[in-house]
């Protein structure tokens, strides 16, 4: 675990230094220089890693999930320089973590309010997250934690960020930009013109090498652990499947949606290679990492990050 985490941080530092030496100034947004954007993105990914570690999805090798996530994120050099993607991913994983904790808290209303308030804030930044809301609602039904009072808390939490933004826009100027992001989101566009870059499409193909076997292994096994763990793993599998479908529905958000699938890929890889340790799983783990490393080297060589 320490070796994998050290390799991830070293690779992240190498990509950052290479990008700065190359003179990449495309990351400067509103006075934030590229080096600050890279540092902020790294902090967001570190916080996501700690949140994943706090989920305690697997009883053994708890820290493995955190190291594996940082390793997969580092192997995708095009993710370490985008503040919006990193912060949106942090909001998404924080909402998932709070949603998982709802089953252990006595204050379900407060927890569900926080979950949907975070998702509402994420939807303001990236409107495509609205498409994930039915999955979150479905999880509350399957977990038997939904009541009328809690449903109202969920609705209130979702509307709170929009209401706050409407108040700010109403005070300072007419609220004309409140739904501009939503309007642009639903504007039809050329599918092929909106496709993400080629290296992102390659990354999507590589992650299918993990998602498909892990999903088949999970659904084919009748004893994947405790019922609570099965519910959470099912949610992770369905979340990644929904994000893949959304990548084809809204191809212009392909990079963001790929970043949102990295935690799920780390969880599924942990399930395959940590919970089910066999000779085949060890060989398959090496094979998958070799493919991902080759893809990272390709991105670095072509200067696509």
């Amino acid at each position: 675990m320490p070796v994998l985490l050290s390799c991830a941080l070293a690779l992240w530092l190498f990509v950052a230094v290479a990008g700065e030496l190359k003179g990449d100034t495309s990351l400067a947004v509103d006075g934030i220089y590229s080096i600050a954007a890279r540092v902020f993105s790294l902090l967001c990914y570190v916080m996501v890693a700690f949140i994943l570690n706090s989920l305690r999805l697997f009883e053994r090798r708890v820290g493995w999930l955190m190291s594996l996530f940082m390793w997969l994120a580092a192997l995708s050099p095009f993710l370490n320089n985008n503040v919006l993607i990193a912060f949106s991913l942090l909001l998404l994983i924080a909402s998932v973590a709070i949603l998982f904790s709802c089953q252990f808290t006595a204050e379900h209303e407060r927890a569900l309010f926080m979950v949907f308030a975070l998702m509402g804030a994420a939807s303001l930044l990236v409107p495509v997250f609205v498409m994930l809301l039915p999955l979150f609602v479905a999880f509350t039904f399957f977990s038997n934690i939904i009541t009328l009072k809690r449903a109202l808390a969920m609705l209130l939490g979702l509307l709170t960020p929009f209401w706050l933004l409407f108040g700010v826009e109403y005070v300072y100027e007419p609220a004309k930009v409140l739904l501009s992001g939503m309007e642009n989101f639903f504007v039809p566009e050329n599918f092929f013109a909106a496709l993400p870059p080629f290296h992102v499409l390659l990354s999507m193909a590589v992650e299918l090498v993990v998602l498909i076997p892990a999903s088949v292994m999970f659904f084919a096994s009748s004893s994947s652990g405790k019922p609570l763990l099965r519910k959470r793993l099912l949610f992770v599998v369905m979340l990644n499947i929904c994000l893949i479908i959304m990548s084809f529905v809204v191809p212009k958000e392909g990079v963001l949606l790929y970043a949102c699938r990295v935690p799920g890929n780390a969880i599924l890889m942990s399930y395959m290679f940590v919970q089910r340790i066999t000779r085949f799983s060890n060989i398959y783990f090496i094979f998958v990492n070799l493919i991902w490393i080759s893809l990272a080297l390709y991105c670095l060589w072509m200067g696509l990050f």
Side-chain angles (χ1 to χ4, degrees), residues 42 80 100 108 121-122 276 286:
L42 178 59
N80 71 354
F100 285 172
H108 293 88
R276 308 268 177 182
I286 297 174

Side-chain angles (χ1 to χ4, degrees), residues 276-296:
R276 308 268 177 182
I277 301 178
T278 62
R279 183 179 180 182
F280 172 77
S281 66
N282 291 333
I283 297 175
Y284 196 68
F285 177 77
I286 297 174
F287 171 71
V288 170
N289 273 279
L290 288 177
I291 295 179
W292 240 307
I293 291 173
S294 301
L295 181 59

Side-chain angles (χ1 to χ4, degrees), residues 39 74 77 81 98 116 119 153 158 241 244 253 274-275 281 284:
V39 172
N81 55 10
I98 299 174
F116 283 84
M119 287 301 297
L158 178 63
I241 292 176
I244 290 176
E253 300 291 353
V274 178
Q275 295 296 104
S281 66
Y284 196 68

Side-chain angles (χ1 to χ4, degrees), residues 204-222:
M204 293 174 59
V206 173
E207 69 174 332
L208 291 178
V209 178
V210 175
L211 178 62
I212 294 177
S215 302
V216 172
M217 182 184 300
F218 171 73
F219 287 112
S221 175
S222 58

Side-chain angles (χ1 to χ4, degrees), residues 92-149:
L92 176 63
I93 299 303
S95 62
V96 172
I98 299 174
L99 182 65
F100 285 172
S101 67
C102 288
Q103 297 166 317
F104 301 104
T105 180
E107 300 178 343
H108 293 88
E109 292 80 8
R110 178 181 298 180
L112 291 174
F113 176 87
M114 288 297 301
V115 169
F116 283 84
L118 290 174
M119 287 301 297
S123 300
L124 285 177
L125 294 175
V126 186
V128 71
F129 279 152
V130 173
M131 302 172 68
L132 292 176
L133 293 177
L135 182 62
F136 281 73
V137 175
F139 182 81
T140 62
F141 277 99
F142 286 116
S143 301
N144 297 322
I145 59 176
I146 190 69
T147 62
L148 178 60
K149 183 178 180 181

Side-chain angles (χ1 to χ4, degrees), residues 14-16 18-20 22 24 26 38 76-81 199 296 299-305:
F14 173 77
V15 173
E20 292 302 316
K22 184 182 176 182
D24 185 5
S26 62
R38 295 182 189 274
S76 304
F78 50 87
L79 297 182
N80 71 354
N81 55 10
H199 58 287
C299 294
L300 293 173
W301 179 261
M302 299 299 294
L304 294 175
F305 50 93

